[in-house]
Every structure is written in structure tokens, then in C-alpha cells.
Amino acid sequence: MELLRLHLLNYRNHEVLTLEFCPGVNGISGPNGAGKTGILDAVHYLANCKSYFNGMDAPLMRHGSDFFTLRGIYTTGSKEEEIVIHVPAQGKKTIKRNGKAYERVMDHIGLLQTVMIAPNDIELVWGGSEERRRFIDLTLSQALREYLEELVQYKQGLDQRNALLKALKGKPSDPVLFEAIEHRMVPAGNKIYQLRKDFFTQFTPYFESAYERISNGMEHASLHYVSDLESKEMQELLDEHRAKDVVMERSTRGPHRDDVLFTLNGHPLKRYGSQGQIKSFVLALKAAQFNYFVQQKGQKPILLLDDIYEKIDEDRAQALMQLVSSGDFGQILITDTHAERVKQHVNAPGLKTRFFTLDRNGNMLT
Amino acid sequence: MESSSRIVDDAIQALASFPGVGRRTALRMVVHLLRRPEPEVLQMAQALERLKKDLCLCRECGNVSDQELCPICMNPSRNRKELCVVADFSDQMAIEATSQFRGIYHILGGLIAPVDGIGPDELNIASLLHRVQKEHFEEVILAFNATAEGDTTMFYLARKLRDTGARITNISRGISVGAELEYADEATLGRSILNRTEYSF
């Protein structure tokens, strides 16, 4: 699957922009604020129906406009696919595939896969557990149709349950009302746990071998899925903690608290990892994500590398670029402030490349 | 923009508060009203006024009504052994329009949604439970939206009504009439196949 053409309308700082990509490596350069990241984010948006960087749609609209539109022309084998996403300031976002609108936005997710590597990914290690859940959710929902369905189901139940717990203000309530809300959460919660567990069984070996390659086998890195559901199933958890939940005014157990423990030679990465090891760890997570998509979907995701030189040291970036040039990857979009740096690093014989330069207003120069 | 009449402005603003009506449509409506004879417009205004002044809720079913009891509840030819529970009177009207149901109704006034601050106490649920206990229905049909809130409300009522002796049913969900399987969404089709029914001639 490759992105042939991308059209942006009022997306971030781009009023109108059209880019024609090559199937290999596409370098996008320009000064800070030119909107390089916005181009990668648009490609991410076309696959995931949301921004990689921003949970809300309104800040993505160009200042002063009341909508944005993204259009991508893809090729999957011999067939062309057109995806158009239209997001108005007021009203519902619509997603059309080859001119036909999806009934629900989520029906589109899973058709296209992207892997983004961006400077703020370091938050996967430093940030709270929600960062790591976001990574799991983003990966699984692009790969498995049913995962997103279960996640939505669980989230709806959880929101209702938490609203009820808040409204009760510590007072006990009608057990039937709890039962009515929880009966949707229970199967969804159990299923999410099962799918995440299966995911780590498959994903961890990809991750371990990717880390080994990146670090030249110096250390052993691993992932450990941590969940309340390891010891008890969902209904039991809810039953056991309901009285406490009423006092706390929120749901204290369930897959919404899941986490992943990152370890290096058996020790927690957060505490014992060096800066360099942490960077390698994050890269290995992304490489594993790539391999997981290839395995699950039988097609290479589009790799989006945002400003990798910003947070990664030159050596590691160069190693990454060599990896990128090796042909194991499919289509790649890279942004950098220096056009020459990318050109230098991406120069494998036979590799298709194309370079774009933006001026400070986001207009195309070449 | 300068306007020549405050009265016209007020009317536009009032009409633009309708769902699906913007300022332009509201303006067209005002122009239309200005062109109509006065009695007709006053009659229209009166019809609106009566919605708030004279309309009440049926003592039995909670539906909108002109009198204490609505015509459906008073109609002796309706089947008083079948009760259909709906969220709103618009749902009741939709079911009535099918002409497939000859029983009587109960209107909850909404669906359970703690997120929106609506719990069982905010709905006509106590009166429903009382009614089912008192009147010995053979069947209580739960007819709600196929949404999370509809599902939660259905579960809640089914539990609450379990020991009343009435048969509790819910309307079936699945492929729309005239629709093609290929284009049905997976959730709907999945449910249809799970809840398949015996073919009846």
C-alpha cells in the first residue's frame, strides 16, 4: 500500500497543498513552522481518523477556517483507493472511501496502517500508563477490527459507570442499575484483556529482536503486560471493588488501568536505562509495530519519520536511516530541517527517492 | 448588518432555534408568515401556545394528551394485556404508524444515561413498575434505540420486571427491509445471525 497523492485543505498551517509521493523514500524539508510535521500527521489522520499529536480536531483547522479536508490517493497492488476525510467545525466528520461515505468513522480504521516515529515518543517511557495504552490501542485497532469495537463498548460502559459513581457522592445505589451498566462492560473488558494478552505474545518477540539489532545485542530488553485482569475476570473485579468504587467515585479496576512494564536485563527501564538505551527502546517498539502490521495485514505500513534527528543522536539516526534504506520497509516519509542531511543518509542504490522543500509559509519550493 | 425591524429580528431568532433550521431558513419562514392572512398566522401562534398551556401528560401511560387520559388508553378495542415501553412519544408515534401493534403504551420520557445525569428516578420507571404489578400484563415489550443507553435501560427494566409474571420481550434488531447483506455493518449482521429466528410460513 502506497500513498500516491496527498491533498490538504485548511489542515494545520496549510491552506492548499498537494504532494505527489514516490513509492520509496520521500524527504520533506523546510524551516521550523513550515508545516512538515503537519504533512506526516495528515497521513496518520487518513489511516486513524485522528491526529497523532492532538486528540481534538478543532486545533487542526487552519486559523480562521471552519473545516479541513484531507484527501489521499493510495495504491494497493493494482487498485487505486481514494480516501477523503472532511471535518467541519460544526457537525459530524465524514470519511469517504472511493466516494462512498462510511456509516461510522471507526469502520474506516484498519484499512490503512501507519507507523509514526516522532520526537515526543519518548513519553512512552517517561509518561503515565495512558501513553503506553495509547500505543497498544493505536496498534491493535489498526490491525484488528474487533478490538476497536470492544474498546468503544467498554469505554461507553466505563463512562456511564463513572458518571453514576460521581452522582452517588459516596452513597450506595440500586444494584440493578450497576448490573445494567456493567453487563456491557464485562464481556468487553474480558475480551480486551484477552486480545491485549495475545497481542503481547506475538509482539514481544518482534520487539526483542528489534532491540537486539539496534543495540548490537548488548542488553536484553523486554515487555511485560500488566493488568488487573491477570488474576480475576472482569465481573469478579467489579463485584469485589464496587463498594470501594462508590467511595472513590470512580472505577478503580479494569483494563482502563492496564500498563506495560519496560525492562532492560530484567530491571525497569525508567529507573535504570540510560538516555541512549531509552531511545533505542522506543525505536525498537516502532520497528516491532511495523513488523506486527506486516504480519497481521500482509502489507507494509507507511513509515512516518518526524524530525528524527531532533531527539535521536546522529549515530542512531544514521543506523535507522541505513535500516530504512535496506528495502525492508515500504514507503517512507521523512521530515528534517536540513534537506542535505536526509539526502546524504538515504542513498542506497536502486532506492526510489523524492525530495520536497517547503518555505516558511508552507508553500512548496521544489 | 442593520435591520429595519426588531420584531422581524426576534421572529427570525425564535424560528432559528428549531433543530435543522438556520437563519436563512428562518428568514424565509418569516417572509412566508408576513405574506399570509392574519387569522391564519394567529391560529398558528395559538397552536403553538396550546402546546405549553393546554397539553398534559396521560395519567396512565405518560404520553402527551389533551385530557387526563389519552385516546389510546381510553380506547376499549386496544389489547390491555400487551404493554409496549418506549423512551419518548416520538418513538410511540413511530410504532403506532406501523399499525402492527394493538396493545397500549408506556412512555419513559428518556433513557438511562448517568453521563447526562439521567438515572431511573428521572424517568417514569416507578410508575411503570407499579402499573405492571397492578395490571397483570401478559407481555411487556421493550422498544428502545439500539444504542448503549437503550441497551442499559432494557437490561435494567428486564431485571426489574422479571418477577412480575409478564413475558418480557424486546423488539428484534437486524437487517433493514430491502437492504443487502453485503452492505450491512458487521455489528448489525452479527446480531442478526446470533438472534436468527425460525422460518415461519
Side-chain angles (χ1 to χ4, degrees), chain A residues 197-230:
Chain A
K197 211 174 114 183
D198 294 347
F199 166 70
F200 278 105
T201 309
Q202 207 177 348
F203 186 81
T204 307
Y206 292 145
F207 167 77
E208 289 176 352
S209 74
Y211 188 89
E212 207 173 295
R213 255 181 297 143
I214 293 171
S215 72
N216 295 317
M218 303 279 275
E219 313 100 3
H220 176 70
S222 196
L223 310 171
H224 307 272
Y225 175 42
V226 185
S227 175
D228 292 332
L229 284 100
E230 265 161 70

Side-chain angles (χ1 to χ4, degrees), chain B residues 10-186:
Chain B
D10 286 351
I12 291 175
Q13 207 175 347
L15 292 167
S17 71
F18 282 100
V21 176
R23 278 194 71 84
R24 282 175 63 91
T25 311
L27 174 65
R28 285 183 60 193
M29 288 174 166
V30 169
V31 170
H32 170 82
L33 288 170
L34 288 174
R35 287 187 182 142
R36 304 308 299 172
E38 186 174 325
E40 188 185 315
V41 178
L42 289 183
Q43 210 178 356
M44 216 183 279
Q46 207 187 14
L48 292 177
E49 198 180 330
R50 293 191 64 193
L51 280 178
K52 283 293 170 189
K53 282 201 169 151
D54 300 336
L55 196 70
C56 58
L57 296 180
C58 172
R59 177 161 53 85
E60 280 291 307
C61 68
N63 205 349
V64 288
S65 172
D66 301 351
Q67 309 122 35
E68 221 185 319
L69 274 178
C70 73
I72 294 177
C73 285
M74 283 200 297
N75 186 344
S77 71
R78 306 281 305 203
N79 180 353
R80 284 172 190 280
K81 293 285 162 206
E82 285 180 1
L83 182 72
C84 179
V85 185
V86 293
D88 273 306
F89 77 92
S90 53
D91 297 333
Q92 182 269 326
M93 284 163 82
I95 291 179
E96 196 57 21
T98 66
S99 309
Q100 297 295 322
F101 180 68
R102 293 300 297 164
I104 51 180
Y105 295 93
H106 191 90
I107 286 87
L108 293 182
L111 292 168
I112 296 175
V115 168
D116 304 318
I118 303 173
D121 295 345
E122 278 69 41
L123 304 168
N124 297 327
I125 286 180
S127 62
L128 169 70
L129 301 180
H130 182 73
R131 204 177 165 196
V132 175
Q133 251 146 24
K134 198 181 66 184
E135 295 187 26
H136 306 292
F137 291 103
E138 276 167 14
E139 182 175 356
V140 177
I141 304 161
L142 305 174
F144 301 132
N145 292 344
T147 58
E149 289 77 21
D151 209 42
T152 301
T153 310
M154 190 156 71
F155 187 97
Y156 182 83
L157 292 180
R159 264 282 190 282
K160 287 284 185 187
L161 295 167
R162 194 163 54 173
D163 302 321
T164 56
R167 192 161 81 99
I168 312 297
T169 57
N170 65 283
I171 54 169
S172 58
R173 277 124 197 230
I175 304 303
S176 328
V177 174
E180 293 171 46
L181 287 196
E182 194 187 341
Y183 296 109
D185 74 278
E186 286 165 33

